[in-house]
Amino acid sequence: MMTNTLSTSIQTLQNYVNGRWIDSTTTQWLEVENPSTGEVIGSVPISTAAEASDAIDAAHQAFQQWREVPATTRVQPLFELTQKLKAHEESIARLVSLENGKSLPDARAEVKRAVENCEVACGMPVLQQGDTLIGAASGIDGQVLRLPRGVYTMIAPFNFPAMVPFWFLPYALATGNTYVVKPSERVPLTMSYLAQLIADSDLPPGVFNLVNGSVDVATAFMDNPKTAGVSFVGTSRVAALVAQRCAANNKRFQAMGGAKNHLVVMPDAQLDQVIRNMITSCYGCAGQRCMASSAVVAVGDDTYRRVCAAFTEASKQVKVGDPLNPALANESMLMGPVISAKAKQFILGMIEQGIAEGATLAHDGRNAKVIGDHRGHFIGPVVFTDVKPGMAIHKTEIFGPVAIILKARSFDEAVNIINEHQYGNGASIYTQSGYWARRFKLEAQCGMIGINVGIPAPVAPLPFGGMKSSQFSAVKTQGRSTIHFFTEEKIVTERFWAGDE
Amino acid sequence: MMTNTLSTSIQTLQNYVNGRWIDSTTTQWLEVENPSTGEVIGSVPISTAAEASDAIDAAHQAFQQWREVPATTRVQPLFELTQKLKAHEESIARLVSLENGKSLPDARAEVKRAVENCEVACGMPVLQQGDTLIGAASGIDGQVLRLPRGVYTMIAPFNFPAMVPFWFLPYALATGNTYVVKPSERVPLTMSYLAQLIADSDLPPGVFNLVNGSVDVATAFMDNPKTAGVSFVGTSRVAALVAQRCAANNKRFQAMGGAKNHLVVMPDAQLDQVIRNMITSCYGCAGQRCMASSAVVAVGDDTYRRVCAAFTEASKQVKVGDPLNPALANESMLMGPVISAKAKQFILGMIEQGIAEGATLAHDGRNAKVIGDHRGHFIGPVVFTDVKPGMAIHKTEIFGPVAIILKARSFDEAVNIINEHQYGNGASIYTQSGYWARRFKLEAQCGMIGINVGIPAPVAPLPFGGMKSSQFSAVKTQGRSTIHFFTEEKIVTERFWAGDE
Amino acid sequence: MMTNTLSTSIQTLQNYVNGRWIDSTTTQWLEVENPSTGEVIGSVPISTAAEASDAIDAAHQAFQQWREVPATTRVQPLFELTQKLKAHEESIARLVSLENGKSLPDARAEVKRAVENCEVACGMPVLQQGDTLIGAASGIDGQVLRLPRGVYTMIAPFNFPAMVPFWFLPYALATGNTYVVKPSERVPLTMSYLAQLIADSDLPPGVFNLVNGSVDVATAFMDNPKTAGVSFVGTSRVAALVAQRCAANNKRFQAMGGAKNHLVVMPDAQLDQVIRNMITSCYGCAGQRCMASSAVVAVGDDTYRRVCAAFTEASKQVKVGDPLNPALANESMLMGPVISAKAKQFILGMIEQGIAEGATLAHDGRNAKVIGDHRGHFIGPVVFTDVKPGMAIHKTEIFGPVAIILKARSFDEAVNIINEHQYGNGASIYTQSGYWARRFKLEAQCGMIGINVGIPAPVAPLPFGGMKSSQFSAVKTQGRSTIHFFTEEKIVTERFWAGDE
Amino acid sequence: MMTNTLSTSIQTLQNYVNGRWIDSTTTQWLEVENPSTGEVIGSVPISTAAEASDAIDAAHQAFQQWREVPATTRVQPLFELTQKLKAHEESIARLVSLENGKSLPDARAEVKRAVENCEVACGMPVLQQGDTLIGAASGIDGQVLRLPRGVYTMIAPFNFPAMVPFWFLPYALATGNTYVVKPSERVPLTMSYLAQLIADSDLPPGVFNLVNGSVDVATAFMDNPKTAGVSFVGTSRVAALVAQRCAANNKRFQAMGGAKNHLVVMPDAQLDQVIRNMITSCYGCAGQRCMASSAVVAVGDDTYRRVCAAFTEASKQVKVGDPLNPALANESMLMGPVISAKAKQFILGMIEQGIAEGATLAHDGRNAKVIGDHRGHFIGPVVFTDVKPGMAIHKTEIFGPVAIILKARSFDEAVNIINEHQYGNGASIYTQSGYWARRFKLEAQCGMIGINVGIPAPVAPLPFGGMKSSQFSAVKTQGRSTIHFFTEEKIVTERFWAGDE
């Protein structure tokens, strides 16, 4: 069904259930838009709860065999998929750019991280092993088995159409569970493409399923008695609802919400090396990532002055345009549009509010020059200085290319600004000093910490996840941590009495 | 305040907050009853939400220093406590018998398990270690830190006044968190005694706190913004509420609910060795434990007949009386009262229902001879045969000395009976065969599996926890698993640029 | 250089050093023989110590960069190699059959295990992670880093030309070490073929090297100051020398020696299912594997009688012939030749000795019908009964298709026969009983235990290795255990003092 | 037998074998000297090989039961011993001071580390657990068991009479092995005292044994077929012999040798804070510890000048005298004697050689003022500057209070000095910079790395061990690593066939 070439015609999406592509029976369809041009590029079904239920049934049925497949056999399709994803990297990246609007380098990095999670999941035959205790009591032994649990489901966000589902699904499959994913209805093309690669990787029918849709599908995931768990990435408001509903239904959940990540710049930071790093972090994916570090905290008057000047200047160099415009192929720092007209409207509103609150608009990207086609939802880099904790532009996750710069008198004050914020996803510090680095690791109340790293997103062999309102769940994703989400620890206490010899 | 001798006078309980015993300011008090005699032995304050809040504040304050204490120093008080618990084992066991009514051997076994959990928690300086990844990217390293999170709280049940709190609190303290425990208001004396031992173990003030009370205190644990997690052991109905409320408040929770554990007897089981084992499991603690295996499933007609006969006969040998009656000190199988008149009433009602449903009352312990003092809430062993899945006496956790015997035509049918039940705490099989043992481990949908073991409660170096409605939470307790509940995985991505040499 | 077709011409082998195939400068060459036909199929250089030294230098040079490659990047060539090995499975298997003489199913199984080890090594970015201890002392943290160590080397045996090197090399490369392998000079073609696949997998030059040769090369591995470790698989006599020499030179070593594996048959074993299993174990690879279970111990008179009869009868069904003879492609149990005329001579001598010692020659395969070409080193299945512990045919590893059957009066006697033997590689028991299975696991002094499994060779995600004279080294190979051989634990104790803010 | 008071009379030592103190039958006895006064304080038997063999037999006999004791029961004596060691800390410390000559603070620190190792070993019921792999193949599971191996032995050095044996023995006992220790014949009193505490801790007879003696006992440990492993701490020359002999006998060994640890001072180090740290490292235990950092490398001319001046000045402040002289009880930096007249002679010879080689004797402690009794083997602090790599005083482990200061032009040169040295035990760097710290961790070829820490000896929850000639063995001691030395990984592959239901 899928092809490697991105046709200019409108693609009508199907669901993938029980090993087959099927047409949705829904009457409700949504147009998929290219945010760089406003053109319609696809049509996605808003599938019904019944369709979600069918997919869950298929996954539940497939689970009965899949759970019994030996561990080393179970990862064979993932080894295959890993190769396929690498071979198709450029096609996937272009599709991500097309429907999400992010630059090609950003899209390629996203695909690479998806592959990396697949690769880590391939190690499950060792990682999933349980424990043995010889001599729990006299003549009695103990075992811990880490067994698959059933049907896991995923409700995906729009900002990383390729990567975010791969934070979960390779681990689910490798541990012996089956899966149903619902991509964001705003960027569903990528997952359809990926689904075909998965389908081609020798997974038995029903082990992996894709249902396009919206709230009804998501609700089915949380309420259907046959699902064992739900992963969600989106806003904190919805994450809280997901957590609560899953808890009531006694399902496992990983619900990841919003973020407002701080970059602390200490006086000893090497500013020339730091600024480029910060620019990538603030404006990559047009600021629409949960690891974007859009709140800069400079420690001390002098540092603050130097950061404001250098960062504002560097922000001006960022180019804006359609990432698939061949003329822009060699731009080193290109920023695409935000995801939709509605998103742009929200961001513009936040900028107005920042001005009204008294922050200084050091650089105004609202009317930035767009290179090439102007129809997309473009906003250029925006820099606010003189921002104070508690302003709306500090409290809110703007999810757009709006950087704010705050001043702190000391390290302690900088950490305090972070710790009093509702979100606790990531935070970074720039310093040459091992002392401040250590204190920052221990004291900043965020799940992911960067030391001289602008985007402190851990690689796939390490866990990924935030604190406070950024994460509703005990268990983080990626690497070893996923085992605790995707397996059931069954504890065996065993003795045998002698019979006849 | 506490003494080793159990005075006959009524003990008025206090709270232990911030290193000091303090009188509650509540106006609401409850009488603590000796269930073997009906005598009042204590008076427990139903503390106010404000008092709970004070304790949480103290714990939160203490956390700021406790978290920074080195790991090997942090376990010193636990090493001390371990020795103290061993030295006081008999006193604690007698106190448990006094207020809970269980036999002294059962009470001693309970204390031993509490000690064992303490001992495992002493190993935290190794267990809590995080991970390092050299070469997350070129010149960039990753670290996973497992750090304490803050104030943890516990809402304890009546059936194991000494053991259940120790499933959690030693691990919480060893990992660097601080603690507030609310014992069951029906059996609060034991925890007060234990609190004094903890207090004597050189813990800084505020690290451990005890607040007597009921729903208001429990609610404060779930709602106070300063608490990081809640452990609950009780009914599934309340466990679901705890889970939901904690999820909404973004707190970690371990909520353990009800159980109905099955003992499957295969035709090849060595019956003479098995029966004594089953009796201990069914009638220990008067059937009031979440690991009691009160539903026997015999596979095949012949097995069924033999099990019914032998088990009913053995049930008749169980003695009933006050466990602290010195005249009964040498009884090998002595059963005490159930916890309260209300509990007794419920159990009698269930027996009536069993009769009404058509089960055969093979042994009727309702008017069993009580040795000595008759005033307690005694019920003798009750055996129902001809029980069918779906009968109320099969579906309900009776939490009393009522055994039911079902017949299955095959192993598959036996497992099916288990898997269709709402609860999934524990299940055991008696067989000589490695084949049936393996299939049972993998197929019985319960968190804890016994092979020729009547009470499949894992020892403390292994995890403890159920499935389905028996457990609302991903993370089990005891051993290594507790780390995932009591620590925050913080992931660090770190690079340094060269400065001047 | 290599091609997928096995040419009938004689192949002249080269060495692969620093990313290039080079001709050996040695004056000493050996002919490689097809043991099924006696035809010469290759010519292998017996490289000089200087050539080995050059390869070690290349590996040492390459190590300086390879160690710094990020963990996830380092496994990319292994992911590629995994795919290539799968694609070339049949060619490799045929090459193994050609030079080693084992049946194609045996050869395919060997290649699959090689692949499996590669796959497990791909998980190294998680498995190699070190540890962190926050709070080793006040303000002081600890780290454990698991770092690569340098140049590792391998001295390979003739019996598994494809698999044995892959017990080590994928792990060495994945952990960041570099490698030099010396295949057995009797079966060097397979490793040359594999080397080309490795060469095609994007490893930097010098990371993997192949030197054909004999004792001089092996000695260079042990003595060169630039090598960090030596893996050896062969006889116990040489293993002891390797261990001693490496210890004196302070190098790590894994030296695996001989074996004589016992199969204990208990009276309750299901004999019909067992016999086929035993036949595969005894005669697969013509008995030339360290996991062959050639010593059967039947417990009890009746079991002994039944095992002797059934096993002897089944032995008669084994076909003998050239495994690459197309006419034999569909034989379900085909046995090829032993490796050489000399090996055949040794085996025939052992058979003579067995007869002289008074064992009963229940089936004499010495003149077994060879289907097709008769020129190879064929011996048919040989069965001795009435064998007593201490006979030479029991004490010696015959490494040929000679099965011996002993009788034990009890389980204890059977275990005792095993435990008094000099070797302790593997041992299996056939029983339905969980009780005997458990005791066997704990009491049989062998590194690898089978329960109703004829060849107790663990899969790659688990460790592999023996006890007693079967293994000279603390650390086993495969899976997680390899980390302890291939990495250096470096322990860091770290503090920073505050400087200026 | 032992008492808490240190009598002034001469103590005649016994052996402790199979649960009883017994007199040695040897004819060879050695006098134990107080190195601070030269007085004879004890008489130690140089036991015969036969006596060592008896102890090994006892341990081997005891192993048969001890191995079957459940894991949680096995650690009970260690919990007890931990308490006893704490209670006796001061007595042990005084005994260490008496026979070894180190200061009381040093002796107390030593005892604390012994306790800490005991505490970590108490966690063995979790740490020793093996692994389970459900689905090794279809219907087949795998297990890894970590089982005790038999009799372990220890050959102890003179410099840490209390601590070094505890690097091994608690782990050996906790994992289920039995033990024979041979203390240094120069400082045997401490181990006798400790043996009594162990004896009082409810270990079954034969589980722990003590044999006083010298080479004959050590040789018996290496050659007796009943021993499973040998731990040795001493010189590299003997370590190599131990390694080689154990390898030949196929025994596990941990052989730790000499050291010459470097302290690198970078220009950004905060010198005032650093110097005190360095003084403790160089002169603690009179320089007789394998973690002493006696070679200072200052980076850059200015740093070199400042370090030479400040360190020499600080060295002059070190007091010299009998550590048990009550008049010196409050000295903050007191140095006792070296262990013997012979050791003093060797050190004086090295100083002469340093002068002859052209190093500058910046501070000459040879005639340092000794406070109080002068009869002991005292040498005051000695500082050499202008030392070049390759001088004998740099190449040799002097094992006395002789500090040498070298200059390096750069970080790279400093690391190079370390890496070209024959030893690789520990190394430290003083810097404020995270960059140099990271590079030092990765590049300095030593097993233990300190960052702003003078004595980089890891705490007990982390491994301990060196590289190059400082360690002959793959496996390090302390913490989790000990499991790989003290247990056998047995790998089980298990299947069961269905029998009758």
Side-chain angles (χ1 to χ4, degrees), chain C residues 10-294:
Chain C
I10 294 172
Q11 195 183 330
T12 301
L13 296 179
Q14 296 177 291
N15 295 331
Y16 183 77
V17 176
N18 209 16
R20 299 193 317 124
W21 286 104
I22 53 176
D23 293 323
S24 173
T25 58
T26 187
T27 56
Q28 210 187 334
W29 291 76
L30 216 66
E31 291 184 340
V32 182
E33 187 195 37
N34 175 345
S36 302
T37 63
E39 291 171 331
V40 173
I41 53 176
S43 177
V44 60
I46 303 305
S47 303
T48 63
E51 289 175 306
S53 173
D54 288 349
I56 293 166
D57 282 347
H60 191 256
Q61 189 59 41
F63 175 62
Q64 310 314 320
Q65 279 73 54
W66 185 241
R67 70 191 304 175
E68 300 207 341
V69 173
T72 48
T73 308
R74 213 149 61 195
V75 291
Q76 292 308 312
L78 288 170
F79 273 99
E80 256 194 80
L81 179 57
T82 298
Q83 292 302 106
K84 282 187 210 303
L85 290 171
K86 288 171 186 169
H88 289 248
E89 180 190 310
E90 192 61 19
S91 303
I92 303 166
R94 295 186 76 82
L95 197 45
V96 167
S97 275
L98 179 73
E99 67 177 350
N100 169 281
K102 68 177 65 176
S103 75
L104 275 170
D106 282 345
R108 287 182 199 117
E110 176 181 349
V111 180
K112 280 197 163 57
R113 186 55 57 90
V115 172
E116 207 180 273
N117 273 287
C118 245
E119 291 179 345
V120 171
C122 287
M124 210 46 83
V126 176
L127 301 179
Q128 191 177 352
Q129 289 174 23
D131 307 310
T132 62
L133 172 59
I134 297 301
S138 188
I140 299 184
D141 303 323
Q143 287 185 309
V144 182
L145 314 179
R146 300 212 165 80
L147 300 177
R149 301 180 70 250
V151 182
Y152 277 82
T153 62
M154 213 264 122
I155 306 163
F158 76 84
N159 59 339
F160 283 88
M163 179 183 75
V164 167
F166 278 79
W167 280 350
F168 310 98
L169 90 83
Y171 301 104
L173 302 185
T175 46
N177 298 287
T178 55
Y179 217 71
V180 189
V181 67
K182 183 199 90 55
S184 164
E185 58 270 42
R186 281 180 280 179
V187 293
L189 303 184
T190 303
M191 195 66 227
S192 276
Y193 191 100
L194 292 167
Q196 184 61 42
L197 297 183
I198 297 171
D200 293 342
S201 298
D202 266 349
L203 275 176
V207 170
F208 167 80
N209 305 275
L210 159 72
V211 181
N212 284 295
S214 185
V215 177
D216 289 352
V217 173
T219 306
F221 288 174
M222 293 183 275
D223 288 353
N224 191 309
K226 286 183 180 164
T227 59
V230 178
S231 295
F232 167 86
V233 177
T235 66
S236 292
R237 192 185 58 79
V238 179
L241 295 173
V242 168
Q244 198 171 347
R245 191 154 190 154
C246 287
N249 290 332
N250 202 6
K251 292 190 193 308
R252 292 203 185 162
F253 56 91
Q254 288 182 310
M256 295 154 105
K260 187 82 174 186
N261 305 313
H262 295 75
L263 276 179
V264 175
V265 186
M266 293 294 287
D268 68 342
Q270 296 209 329
L271 215 55
D272 43 345
Q273 302 197 26
V274 167
I275 293 294
R276 168 95 201 133
N277 205 266
M278 289 163 68
I279 291 288
T280 309
S281 178
C282 288
Y283 303 127
C285 303
Q288 297 168 113
R289 60 179 161 202
C290 65
M291 294 307 293
S293 297
S294 56

Side-chain angles (χ1 to χ4, degrees), chain C residues 35 193 263 307 324-325 415 462 471:
Chain C
Y193 191 100
L263 276 179
V307 165
L324 293 175
N325 180 345
V415 168
L462 296 173
Q471 171 120 8

Side-chain angles (χ1 to χ4, degrees), chain D residues 17-334:
Chain D
V17 175
N18 209 19
R20 299 196 313 126
W21 287 103
I22 53 176
D23 293 323
S24 173
T25 58
T26 189
T27 56
Q28 211 187 332
W29 292 75
L30 217 66
E31 290 184 339
V32 182
E33 187 195 39
N34 174 347
S36 302
T37 62
E39 291 170 330
V40 173
I41 53 175
S43 176
V44 61
I46 302 306
S47 303
T48 63
E51 290 175 306
S53 173
D54 288 348
I56 293 166
D57 282 348
H60 191 256
Q61 189 58 41
F63 175 62
Q64 309 314 319
Q65 279 72 53
W66 185 240
R67 70 191 301 176
E68 300 207 341
V69 173
T72 48
T73 309
R74 214 150 59 196
V75 290
Q76 292 308 311
L78 288 170
F79 273 100
E80 256 193 80
L81 179 57
T82 298
Q83 292 303 107
K84 281 188 210 305
L85 290 172
K86 288 172 187 169
H88 289 248
E89 180 189 311
E90 191 62 19
S91 302
I92 304 166
R94 296 187 74 83
L95 197 45
V96 167
S97 276
L98 180 72
E99 68 176 351
N100 169 280
K102 70 177 65 175
S103 75
L104 275 169
D106 282 344
R108 286 183 200 116
E110 175 180 351
V111 180
K112 280 197 164 57
R113 185 56 57 90
V115 173
E116 206 180 274
N117 274 286
C118 243
E119 291 180 344
V120 171
C122 287
M124 210 45 83
V126 175
L127 302 179
Q128 192 177 354
Q129 289 175 23
D131 307 311
T132 62
L133 172 60
I134 298 300
S138 189
I140 299 184
D141 304 324
Q143 287 185 310
V144 182
L145 315 179
R146 300 214 165 81
L147 299 176
R149 302 180 69 249
V151 181
Y152 277 83
T153 60
M154 212 265 123
I155 305 164
F158 76 84
N159 59 338
F160 283 88
M163 178 183 75
V164 167
F166 278 78
W167 280 351
F168 310 98
L169 89 84
Y171 301 104
L173 302 185
T175 47
N177 298 287
T178 54
Y179 217 71
V180 189
V181 67
K182 185 199 91 52
S184 164
E185 58 271 41
R186 280 179 280 178
V187 294
L189 303 185
T190 303
M191 195 66 226
S192 274
Y193 191 99
L194 293 167
Q196 185 60 44
L197 297 184
I198 297 171
D200 292 343
S201 299
D202 266 348
L203 276 177
V207 171
F208 167 80
N209 305 275
L210 159 73
V211 181
N212 284 295
S214 184
V215 176
D216 288 352
V217 173
T219 305
F221 289 173
M222 292 184 275
D223 288 353
N224 192 308
K226 287 183 180 164
T227 59
V230 178
S231 295
F232 167 85
V233 177
T235 65
S236 292
R237 192 185 58 78
V238 179
L241 295 174
V242 168
Q244 197 170 349
R245 191 154 191 155
C246 287
N249 290 333
N250 202 6
K251 292 192 192 306
R252 292 203 184 160
F253 56 91
Q254 288 182 309
M256 295 154 105
K260 188 83 175 185
N261 305 315
H262 295 74
L263 276 179
V264 175
V265 186
M266 293 294 287
D268 69 342
Q270 297 208 327
L271 214 57
D272 42 345
Q273 302 196 25
V274 165
I275 292 294
R276 167 97 199 134
N277 206 266
M278 289 163 68
I279 291 289
T280 309
S281 178
C282 288
Y283 303 127
C285 303
Q288 298 168 114
R289 60 180 161 202
C290 65
M291 295 308 292
S293 296
S294 56
V296 177
V297 184
V299 174
D301 287 335
D302 181 57
T303 311
Y304 178 71
R305 264 191 306 270
R306 290 188 297 129
V307 165
C308 286
F311 186 79
T312 302
E313 189 50 39
S315 295
K316 294 177 186 165
Q317 312 308 318
V318 175
K319 297 288 197 308
V320 176
D322 178 351
L324 292 175
N325 180 345
L328 301 174
N330 295 319
E331 286 298 333
S332 66
M333 185 61 216
L334 177 72

Side-chain angles (χ1 to χ4, degrees), chain A residues 391-406:
Chain A
M391 285 183 177
I393 52 172
H394 179 242
K395 279 168 29 186
T396 313
E397 182 179 35
I398 299 176
F399 232 55
V402 181
I404 62 174
I405 309 183
L406 300 90

